[in-house]
Amino acid sequence: MSNIIVLTGAAGGIGKEFLKIMKDEKGIDEIWCVGRTLSKLEALKEISNKVVPVACDVTLDEDLLAFQKLLEEKNPRIKWLINCAGTRAVYKPNASLPRLLATVRTNLVGNMAMCYACIPFIGRGDHILNVSSAASFQPLPSNNSYAAAKVGLRFFSKGLEYELKTRGIKVTCSCPGWVAPELMEFKEDEMKPIERLPGVTTPEHVAKKSIRQARRGKSIVFPTLKVHADYYIIKFSPTKFILWYAAHVETDHYKDFIKTGILT
């Protein structure tokens, strides 16, 4: 039986940093790098010869079922499942419905499905690390579908931690804020929400702190001081203040968004 790491979103900025950290993990035979584009996954072999590219779009049922079948055929021991698949969405008016659905499916449903597929192959002392977001701390006007998906992943992770406690499987949820540069590269059907991006960090920092805290058995990871402060400010604040904070501190152009009738 091979000992493996399953890493989704492996070709993204944070995913690559996870790979760089975990490539020398003791006792690991293979690192299954999961993503949509096979050519990008093949390129990851330059980082580690343990990379096994697995083309799988986590938004598609057929791809997830094929991945589940692959696990059943290979029967590996999954020492780490790192769910890093995700997409941000700050839509312009009249963005397509598939674009909206992809946000929820990528950030929530796909990650949940990967957990369910992998858990039968995860044992005592092994880890699940889900990458959520600081957007999961509050409703986020103008980026609402993303925040809703991320809070779903954070709550799912917490419930899963409780379910798997007796099996000795540790579940950690990391909640980064703004990450440069990938979260600031806006697509044609998106609006740039913030001119002053507070608490920006790097993929390397997010990956390093997430792994370090997961090894320590932490349930939730706050990669930056701002994210940590936001969590407690929001936790103990009235809902009206939370919404005002999200609209006017996290989003510079909230009033402009509302005038355009932005779809969330």
Side-chain angles (χ1 to χ4, degrees), residues 8 83-85 105-115 153 156:
T8 72
N83 274 316
C84 196
R105 288 171 179 162
T106 305
N107 290 302
L108 175 58
V109 180
N111 290 316
M112 292 172 64
M114 289 298 296
C115 286
L153 181 58
F156 172 77

Side-chain angles (χ1 to χ4, degrees), residues 14 176-181 184 197-206 223-224 227:
I14 299 176
W178 289 100
V179 180
M184 285 171 273
L197 289 167
V200 177
T201 188
T202 64
E204 180 183 12
H205 178 78
V206 171
T224 66
V227 168

Side-chain angles (χ1 to χ4, degrees), residues 85 87 103-109 111-112 130-140 143-160 173-176 219-220 231 234-235 242:
T87 182
T103 300
V104 178
R105 288 171 179 162
T106 305
N107 290 302
L108 175 58
V109 180
N111 290 316
M112 292 172 64
N130 291 327
V131 179
S132 179
S133 169
S136 69
F137 300 161
Q138 74 281 311
L140 199 57
N143 204 1
N144 211 20
S145 57
Y146 175 81
K150 288 298 190 178
V151 74
L153 181 58
R154 183 163 66 87
F155 274 44
F156 172 77
S157 300
K158 191 62 180 176
L160 193 63
C173 185
S174 181
C175 297
S219 298
I220 188 168
Y231 178 79
I234 292 162
K235 185 174 182 178
I242 292 170

Side-chain angles (χ1 to χ4, degrees), residues 5-261:
I5 294 170
V6 175
L7 172 60
T8 72
I14 299 176
K16 286 181 182 177
E17 294 302 328
F18 276 124
L19 176 58
K20 291 175 184 177
I21 293 168
M22 303 303 288
K23 64 185 178 68
D24 296 320
E25 183 79 356
K26 291 181 180 179
I28 296 300
D29 301 304
E30 298 174 342
I31 303 176
W32 289 19
C33 290
V34 180
R36 287 178 293 186
T37 308
L38 185 59
S39 60
K40 291 182 179 180
L41 300 174
E42 291 283 356
L44 297 177
K45 291 180 179 179
E46 296 179 5
I47 298 175
S48 173
N49 58 12
K50 294 181 181 180
V51 166
V52 176
V54 180
C56 175
D57 185 337
V58 299
T59 69
L60 300 177
D61 290 358
E62 56 267 33
D63 281 19
L64 289 165
L65 289 169
F67 180 78
Q68 186 179 45
K69 184 177 180 181
L70 179 64
L71 286 172
E72 291 169 353
E73 290 174 354
K74 299 294 185 180
N75 192 32
R77 171 72 177 267
I78 300 176
K79 303 298 291 182
W80 284 82
L81 167 61
I82 304 175
N83 274 316
C84 196
T87 182
R88 184 210 58 249
V90 186
Y91 308 115
K92 289 181 179 179
N94 303 315
S96 68
L97 181 59
R99 182 86 164 82
L100 178 70
L101 294 173
T103 300
V104 178
R105 288 171 179 162
T106 305
N107 290 302
L108 175 58
V109 180
N111 290 316
M112 292 172 64
M114 289 298 296
C115 286
Y116 277 112
C118 291
I119 284 171
F121 305 91
I122 300 174
R124 183 170 295 276
D126 300 336
H127 297 265
I128 296 173
L129 173 56
N130 291 327
V131 179
S132 179
S133 169
S136 69
F137 300 161
Q138 74 281 311
L140 199 57
S142 79
N143 204 1
N144 211 20
S145 57
Y146 175 81
K150 288 298 190 178
V151 74
L153 181 58
R154 183 163 66 87
F155 274 44
F156 172 77
S157 300
K158 191 62 180 176
L160 193 63
E161 178 188 26
Y162 186 84
E163 289 180 10
L164 299 178
K165 188 176 181 179
T166 57
R167 293 174 56 178
I169 300 171
K170 186 59 190 175
V171 181
T172 300
C173 185
S174 181
C175 297
W178 289 100
V179 180
E182 59 184 328
L183 286 184
M184 285 171 273
E185 295 174 352
F186 294 87
K187 299 178 182 179
E188 290 184 1
D189 61 348
E190 293 180 315
M191 292 185 181
K192 184 176 179 180
I194 294 178
E195 294 296 339
R196 306 182 310 275
L197 289 167
V200 177
T201 188
T202 64
E204 180 183 12
H205 178 78
V206 171
K208 282 184 176 179
K209 188 159 186 179
S210 298
I211 293 294
R212 184 169 66 247
Q213 297 289 70
R215 291 191 197 279
R216 293 175 179 173
K218 299 293 185 180
S219 298
I220 188 168
V221 179
F222 307 111
T224 66
L225 182 61
K226 181 187 181 298
V227 168
H228 204 161
D230 282 352
Y231 178 79
Y232 285 101
I233 289 170
I234 292 162
K235 185 174 182 178
F236 297 107
S237 297
T239 302
K240 287 184 178 180
F241 172 78
I242 292 170
L243 288 168
W244 178 90
Y245 181 86
H248 296 89
V249 176
E250 296 290 346
T251 307
D252 283 353
H253 307 308
Y254 174 70
K255 291 182 180 179
D256 295 333
F257 283 177
I258 295 301
K259 289 177 183 177
T260 61

